[in-house]
Amino acid sequence: EGSSREDEPLLADKELQAVNMLVDLFERRATVSFYEGEPLQALSTLAYSDTYHLQLSAATAFSEISEMDTRPVTREALEPILYLLQSAHIDVQHGASAALGNLAVNVENKLLIVRMGGLEPLIRQMLSPNIDAQINSVGCITNLATAEENKMRIAKSGALLPLTRLARSRDLRVQRNAAGALLNMTHSAEHRQQLIGAGAVPVLVELLGEDDPELQYYATTALSNIAVDDSGRQLLWDTQPGLIDALVRFVDASTIKVQCQAILTLRNLASDDQYQLQIVAHGGLDSLLPLLQS
């Protein structure tokens, strides 16, 4: 009997050529454009291979390349990355989502990723129990959600419920990314209503009790946006009786951006008579007056 080793398949000639080419190209990566021409063809050959370690090499390469080069890319460059994102192997998914997150700092790439169907596999990764998968997928969606065109698609994609859940994660990196994504979805009245429907308000108020200044900033900023709307203020009044106490404590916060956003939230809430009375009753005026004299 022959001794075939299925876990280490022989590489096809095309795959071997692609590997050798990429080894050479990576030695002079600073002068190579990997998003077009022969370099992209070589990466695509590895990405579409049936061999796990070649797919992993392609995903890792895309991740490393995109850390240095976030230029606008074509559909042809995104296709192999989106293909790798749907791999059965979590470490391949991890490299692909890292690459997308890096590329999504560019406005044109943000739009193209969503137009090409990138949201669905990213949401699947968000639902994974793997922390690294959660960090990368949520971080990517946070970047995608800064583009106005993407926000409605994100809201309709089913992403808001898992984002809200992950804002309660025990991993700070996941929490920060999820809270940042929720914040990015609070910049229009329509999206604020969708966030409210996804149960984000009590989670944002909970985040005010966290020790991390970044989480405090994301939460206070998101709540100040929600408090712009009459319906948002009424919801906060009806369901969050401890909100004013939490915000008044932040008036003396050592982190300036948290302090500023807490004061802005109080200002927006004070559009309603009931909140004006509550802010004074809970010591808000006493905390704010010294700032006028500083």
Side-chain angles (χ1 to χ4, degrees):
E1 284 184 37
S3 59
S4 75
R5 298 182 59 183
E6 294 180 357
D7 56 334
E8 294 182 15
L10 293 173
L11 301 186
D13 288 345
K14 186 178 179 183
E15 292 172 342
L16 194 55
Q17 289 170 8
V19 170
N20 290 334
M21 176 186 288
L22 288 168
V23 168
D24 176 59
L25 292 173
F26 259 79
E27 288 180 357
R28 47 192 176 89
R29 70 179 76 179
T31 62
V32 175
S33 172
F34 285 91
Y35 300 134
E36 58 193 359
E38 289 188 345
L40 178 59
Q41 288 175 11
L43 281 169
S44 298
T45 296
L46 303 195
Y48 295 122
S49 169
D50 293 329
T51 305
Y52 156 69
H53 75 262
L54 291 185
Q55 286 194 346
L56 179 59
S57 295
T60 304
F62 276 122
S63 174
E64 292 179 4
I65 292 160
S66 60
E67 284 183 5
M68 305 178 297
D69 188 353
T70 58
R71 74 181 76 180
V73 298
T74 62
R75 297 179 74 91
E76 289 72 26
L78 279 181
E79 280 169 353
I81 303 175
L82 291 171
Y83 178 80
L84 292 167
L85 191 62
Q86 301 182 65
S87 167
H89 301 283
I90 192 71
D91 46 359
V92 175
Q93 296 175 21
H94 179 250
S97 59
L100 286 180
N102 293 336
L103 290 170
V105 301
N106 177 280
V107 175
E108 294 172 49
N109 292 339
K110 292 179 208 286
L111 301 178
L112 188 55
I113 289 167
V114 173
R115 288 171 188 165
M116 290 181 64
L119 279 178
E120 187 177 337
L122 286 169
I123 292 170
R124 284 201 298 272
Q125 274 204 39
M126 278 203 297
L127 300 173
S128 165
N130 182 280
I131 293 295
D132 287 333
Q134 293 174 2
I135 291 168
N136 281 5
S137 56
V138 178
C140 186
I141 288 178
T142 303
N143 287 343
L144 296 176
T146 61
E148 200 60 39
E149 178 184 310
N150 287 344
K151 290 180 182 179
M152 182 55 67
R153 297 190 187 201
I154 291 170
K156 291 181 175 179
S157 70
L160 297 184
L161 284 171
L163 283 172
T164 298
R165 180 176 63 81
L166 290 174
R168 286 176 161 148
S169 170
R170 293 181 181 178
D171 187 283
L172 180 58
R173 297 163 298 174
V174 176
Q175 262 195 306
R176 281 179 173 176
N177 283 351
L182 295 177
L183 166 58
N184 287 341
M185 293 296 294
T186 62
H187 297 301
S188 79
E190 184 177 3
H191 300 139
R192 289 194 286 271
Q193 289 303 310
Q194 289 161 330
L195 272 182
I196 288 169
V201 166
V203 176
L204 290 168
V205 174
E206 282 176 25
L207 292 179
L208 298 178
E210 296 285 345
D211 295 329
D212 180 60
E214 287 302 309
L215 287 176
Q216 294 169 356
Y217 171 73
Y218 293 147
T220 50
T221 308
L223 289 167
S224 73
N225 291 339
I226 289 169
V228 167
D229 306 321
D230 292 346
S231 59
R233 291 194 300 276
Q234 191 60 51
L235 175 77
L236 291 168
W237 177 264
D238 292 339
T239 64
Q240 304 300 323
L243 177 59
I244 293 301
D245 275 337
L247 292 171
V248 168
R249 283 197 299 273
F250 283 136
V251 172
D252 297 319
S254 57
T255 306
I256 296 297
K257 64 181 182 179
V258 174
Q259 181 188 46
C260 290
Q261 289 302 324
I263 293 170
L264 180 59
T265 309
L266 288 170
R267 187 195 74 175
N268 290 342
L269 292 172
S271 300
D272 294 347
D273 292 347
Q274 57 195 10
Y275 266 126
Q276 291 176 19
L277 296 172
Q278 193 178 54
I279 289 167
V280 173
H282 288 255
L285 197 57
D286 294 335
S287 297
L288 290 166
L289 283 175
L291 295 178
L292 295 176
Q293 300 160 352
S294 63

